[in-house]
Amino acid sequence: MSFFKKIFSSEKKETLDKGLEKSKTSFLSKLSKAVAGRSKVDADVLDDLEEVLIASDVGVNTTLKIIDRIEERVDRDKYLGTDELNKILREEIAGLLSETNDEDATEFVIPKDKKPYVLMVVGVNGVGKTTTIGKLAAQFKKQGLSVVLGAADTFRAAAIDQLQVWADRVDVPIVRQDMGSDPASVAFDTLKSAVSKNADVVIVDTAGRLHNKVNLMNELTKIKRVMQKVVPDAPHDVLLVLDGSTGQNAFEQAKQFTLATEVTSLAVTKLDGTAKGGVVIGISDQFKIPVKYIGVGEGIDDLQVFNKFEFVDSFFK
Ligand SMILES: Nc1nc2c(ncn2[C@@H]2O[C@H](COP(=O)(O)OP(=O)(O)OP(=O)(O)O)[C@@H](O)[C@H]2O)c(=O)[nH]1
Ligand SMILES: [Mg+2]
């Protein structure tokens, strides 16, 4: 298929291959057990394949779509061997995901006409928000862009300190206040500072307390409103971070969060330590909001721009 002919950066692909190793090995061993001793893709094999996909966290709805596509293919072709199943899955899933009409990027791009470009990062506790912000800051800086971080997660002192550690590591300025101060006020100060510095990118960290949805929504709305006093069309991107290692739970979080507040893109983290990487396929298929980034490790370079074809290629090859 043509999209696999795209040349991906080999370094990026290697990190992705390594990051997805657990998910892939687990999937392949389940699949080979399921088709053991059978050479032809028939109704029984499809039944088992359905189970394997669901057990791999792809999600029921997306799994059913995939099975439908493969069934059609079985009807069309006279004979499909189980040895071809991996290749067929790769093609059909890539085809399915290409139907969602979001753009497929391969690198970090900030629109030039938005300055400063304001990125607000949201998500429940512990999913990897602060780490993702640090990695993003490093990537933007590498591109020669100036970055300012805002520590608007004022819920815990440790949260502010952790962002400070990243700011020092990447060597970018951070705007912070004391723990317990008004997050909207921190966001306001951050944007003011970015404008006065003529900075290219602002990344604002926020606290995630989903157990009180109304509170959370009000707080995020207030942060946005206050930011707009400085940059009228801010935030340009509201990035929801999801912990991929929680599998279907990440899926549920995405559902709940997107109902509670306006989210414009998704990041799925911790894919390296888990066998639940299939969840990215389901999330990418089921949500209109694009998965923009994936986290494949704790290191500063372990954040990638999500490209569904690269992903599927790494997963099923
Ligand atoms: N293996 C791995 N670990 C990750 C990844 N992203 C984040 N982590 C780890 O996950 C843990 C939580 O990350 P944080 O960035 O603190 O998460 P957070 O959402 O800011 O958490 P709170 O501030 O407590 O809400 C840290 O130990 C990170 O190193 C990833 O892609 N892979
Ligand atoms: Mg944090």
Side-chain angles (χ1 to χ4, degrees):
M1 270 184 156
S2 63
F3 16 78
F4 292 118
K5 286 191 191 128
K6 270 191 210 164
I7 299 161
F8 304 127
S9 126
S10 61
E11 204 184 317
K12 183 184 174 193
K13 191 69 168 65
E14 257 173 49
T15 312
L16 181 62
D17 285 345
K18 221 173 105 225
L20 291 183
E21 215 167 84
K22 273 198 189 157
S23 296
K24 178 181 169 156
T25 311
S26 154
F27 175 80
L28 289 181
S29 84
K30 284 192 198 110
L31 184 65
S32 61
K33 263 185 217 140
V35 301
R38 297 187 278 187
S39 57
K40 188 179 174 221
V41 178
D42 56 18
D44 284 345
V45 167
L46 285 177
D47 255 4
D48 290 340
L49 175 63
E50 187 176 314
E51 258 175 53
V52 171
L53 286 168
I54 290 170
S56 302
D57 277 281
V58 171
V60 175
N61 290 339
T62 304
T63 295
L64 294 179
K65 283 201 212 169
I66 296 167
I67 296 294
D68 273 353
R69 292 179 81 109
I70 298 184
E71 254 171 2
E72 273 171 33
R73 200 153 158 172
V74 170
D75 285 346
R76 225 172 30 233
D77 302 1
K78 276 204 191 79
Y79 181 91
L80 278 184
T82 51
D83 54 340
E84 284 177 286
L85 209 42
N86 233 26
K87 179 176 147 274
I88 294 163
L89 275 167
R90 188 156 59 102
E91 289 172 3
E92 293 306 329
I93 293 175
L96 177 70
L97 296 187
S98 70
E99 284 172 5
T100 48
N101 53 7
D102 55 301
E103 256 177 63
D104 215 46
T106 52
E107 54 186 29
F108 294 82
V109 186
I110 291 287
K112 285 204 177 70
D113 57 333
K114 309 253 193 284
K115 190 181 165 100
Y117 183 82
V118 180
L119 208 163
M120 178 173 162
V121 179
V122 303
V124 307
N125 295 343
V127 289
K129 292 184 295 296
T130 307
T131 309
T132 300
I133 291 171
K135 292 169 174 174
L136 276 172
Q139 305 256 10
F140 292 138
K141 201 181 167 202
K142 230 191 220 168
Q143 292 183 353
L145 299 168
S146 54
V147 183
V148 177
L149 303 183
D153 177 0
T154 60
F155 203 54
R156 295 178 304 121
I160 303 171
D161 292 339
Q162 196 193 349
L163 192 67
Q164 180 77 56
V165 169
W166 274 103
D168 294 343
R169 191 168 169 197
V170 182
D171 192 21
V172 292
I174 176 174
V175 174
R176 54 181 287 180
Q177 292 178 13
D178 291 337
M179 181 196 142
S181 54
D182 181 2
S185 154
V186 179
F188 181 84
D189 283 359
T190 310
L191 265 63
K192 274 275 185 206
S193 162
V195 168
S196 75
K197 287 186 172 77
N198 200 24
D200 298 305
V201 189
V202 175
I203 315 178
V204 177
D205 198 4
T206 65
R209 280 158 288 153
L210 199 64
H211 58 258
N212 190 337
K213 264 192 254 170
V214 176
N215 240 359
L216 174 79
M217 194 167 66
N218 288 346
E219 182 169 295
L220 295 177
T221 306
K222 187 175 161 201
I223 294 176
K224 280 191 214 167
R225 206 177 55 232
V226 170
M227 288 200 292
Q228 285 161 1
K229 289 186 199 296
V230 188
V231 178
D233 58 346
H236 303 104
D237 193 4
V238 179
L239 177 69
L240 171 64
V241 180
L242 302 164
D243 178 348
S245 72
T246 63
Q248 290 310 293
N249 202 1
F251 203 95
E252 279 308 309
Q253 268 173 33
K255 255 199 227 161
Q256 292 189 32
F257 231 100
T258 49
L259 283 177
T261 186
E262 195 196 339
V263 171
T264 51
S265 58
L266 305 172
V268 187
T269 63
K270 307 190 200 178
L271 292 174
D272 51 302
T274 181
K276 296 177 186 290
V279 71
V280 178
I281 295 169
I283 289 176
S284 187
D285 171 54
Q286 296 283 309
F287 287 92
K288 287 202 178 72
I289 303 156
V291 176
K292 214 160 169 185
Y293 307 110
I294 51 172
V296 288
E298 287 188 281
I300 197 164
D301 294 322
D302 295 330
L303 184 76
Q304 300 198 342
V305 170
F306 175 66
N307 177 295
K308 40 201 170 197
F309 303 122
E310 275 177 317
F311 187 90
V312 172
D313 192 59
S314 279
F315 204 104
F316 295 101
K317 215 169 185 177

